[in-house]
Amino acid sequence: MIEVRHLSRHYGALKAVQDVSFSIDTGEIVGLLGHNGAGKTTIMKMLTGYLEPSAGTITIDGLDIAEQRREAQRRIGYLPENCPLYPEMTVLDSLDYQASLLGLAPAQRPAAIRRAVERTELGPKATAAIGTLSRGYRQRVGVAQAILHEPRILILDEPTNGLDPAQIQHMRALVRELAREATLIISTHILQEVEAVCGRVLIMRGGQLALDSRLDAIGRRPRLVVTLDRAPSEALPVLSALDGIGSVVTLDVDGTRRRFALETEDAQAAAPSVARVLCERGWSLHGLETERQDLEALFGAVTLERMEATHG
Ligand SMILES: Nc1ncnc2c1ncn2[C@@H]1O[C@H](COP(=O)(O)OP(=O)(O)OP(=O)(O)O)[C@@H](O)[C@H]1O
């Protein structure tokens, strides 16, 4: 269980993280999503006890990271962004070195290393020098290092960054496998990453938490999208007055055409009557479709809000 309360971190005048609160239950896989510079890495460094917050608290299984840092850190495995590794070391030597840094007793190390190598499928490269490995394998070494002490919480910063499609597939499979035994937080700016492996998403925007939602709650309510050659001032009152339609928003403009999104309980069921009413008014219907309010749409909306807030 991770509890984050009113967490902030400033770098001089820059507010990298501002008043962020969330809690994560045991066994969850949570995606921390946001554009570059949104504050993801800063949050992860604070969660892992490597960076002190300017304000706020973090507890890991009830341990306050400020007061019981070492004990809290023992429960956490961390794959930093661009995980630093010694290129001249072999995979096994690197894991042995990390095991010593983690404080594993010498007698425990061989079994811990064997298990980490098995789980990350590094066996064929165990005696290879890290400098000779592909980026995909180097990331696996980073993950193996992070799981040596069998942490109950794993924090992975951009685990698929720079990997090719086959390596990405492998890393996602590995993440799912790791999630069977640990709570996972994965930072990424790739939407598909979150959709592929996470059950919940936290979207960061300019240092603030813009959205905290389960993925199955996103997309539960599809919208009906209507394309018309009418101005919003003319279309909005008519669309809003339609039976069974809640709020209506203007999405975008393409020449003289505009797309409007209609909130409704059942978009598919509402489509025929919406088409009929609009045709009866003599309006040309250039498009009528149901749109899943998926993560991409949501992320776009959150980003747009930020741009509107920034640019007035
Ligand atoms: N040590 C530092 N000193 C000054 N500013 C920093 C420092 N580390 C991060 N920042 C700034 O804080 C903000 C948040 O950075 P952070 O690395 O947490 O974002 P991020 O969401 O992880 O981005 P990315 O996806 O690019 O890694 C950025 O504006 C960044 O430039």
Side-chain angles (χ1 to χ4, degrees):
M1 175 82 168
I2 302 169
E3 288 269 355
V4 170
R5 289 285 159 261
H6 304 294
L7 191 66
S8 296
R9 170 72 204 201
H10 305 158
Y11 294 110
L14 180 82
K15 294 174 176 169
V17 171
Q18 293 179 64
D19 197 20
V20 167
S21 297
F22 57 83
S23 48
I24 296 177
D25 272 335
T26 305
E28 282 197 273
I29 311 183
V30 177
L32 188 58
L33 188 66
H35 288 300
N36 294 119
K40 306 179 296 293
T41 297
T42 304
I43 287 193
M44 294 197 144
K45 284 186 183 161
M46 290 191 281
L47 286 177
T48 50
Y50 290 107
L51 186 68
E52 255 184 68
S54 305
T57 56
I58 299 169
T59 54
I60 308 285
D61 286 342
L63 301 166
D64 187 321
I65 200 130
E67 285 162 18
Q68 295 146 292
R69 187 161 68 98
R70 287 251 165 234
E71 222 177 309
Q73 279 179 329
R74 250 179 241 130
R75 293 165 194 242
I76 299 172
Y78 179 38
L79 173 73
E81 195 176 15
N82 304 317
C83 180
L85 296 166
Y86 293 105
E88 68 282 2
M89 272 192 183
T90 67
V91 171
L92 286 179
D93 287 344
S94 163
L95 291 175
D96 192 55
Y97 177 60
Q98 181 66 15
S100 68
L101 292 182
L102 287 165
L104 266 71
Q108 293 178 324
R109 288 182 207 161
I113 292 170
R114 201 176 314 119
R115 185 162 153 74
V117 166
E118 267 170 26
R119 295 184 76 191
T120 50
E121 296 176 35
L122 273 168
K125 301 288 179 188
T127 55
I130 285 169
T132 66
L133 299 181
S134 67
R135 193 171 165 95
Y137 271 111
R138 284 205 299 276
Q139 280 292 80
R140 282 195 231 175
V141 176
V143 173
Q145 288 190 346
I147 61 175
L148 274 170
H149 56 310
E150 309 214 349
R152 292 168 49 183
I153 298 166
L154 257 179
I155 298 185
L156 310 177
D157 200 350
E158 305 272 0
T160 59
N161 204 7
L163 302 191
D164 69 29
Q167 293 167 339
I168 288 175
Q169 289 306 323
H170 187 279
M171 181 56 77
R172 284 184 186 161
L174 175 58
V175 165
R176 284 195 205 96
E177 201 275 322
L178 296 172
R180 297 200 323 210
E181 294 181 22
T183 302
L184 243 76
I185 305 177
I186 304 166
S187 147
T188 180
H189 55 271
I190 306 167
L191 288 162
Q192 291 83 350
E193 195 79 21
V194 174
E195 283 178 323
V197 296
C198 300
R200 179 176 158 201
V201 64
L202 304 177
I203 300 183
M204 292 294 297
R205 176 186 70 196
Q208 292 175 318
L209 185 59
L211 183 93
D212 176 354
S213 173
R214 290 200 50 78
L215 279 197
D216 55 15
I218 297 170
R220 193 183 290 158
R221 184 81 67 84
R223 298 189 297 183
L224 191 61
V225 177
V226 180
T227 310
L228 300 170
D229 52 1
R230 304 275 153 178
S233 55
E234 188 183 4
L236 287 174
V238 173
L239 295 172
S240 310
L242 292 173
D243 263 358
I245 301 300
S247 65
V248 179
V249 290
T250 309
L251 288 181
D252 48 32
V253 183
D254 175 12
T256 55
R257 294 176 190 173
R258 283 182 176 79
R259 296 196 317 136
F260 301 93
L262 283 57
E263 299 281 351
T264 170
E265 282 295 320
D266 184 344
Q268 257 181 341
S273 57
V274 168
R276 195 170 48 248
V277 173
L278 295 180
C279 289
E280 279 168 8
R281 292 187 75 90
W283 288 9
S284 304
L285 192 55
H286 293 274
L288 182 66
E289 60 198 324
T290 53
E291 176 215 56
R292 229 180 110 234
Q293 174 78 335
D294 60 10
L295 187 57
E296 191 169 354
L298 204 62
F299 190 51
V302 161
T303 311
L304 190 68
E305 272 174 38
R306 180 186 66 163
M307 286 168 64
E308 282 171 354
T310 312
H311 302 296

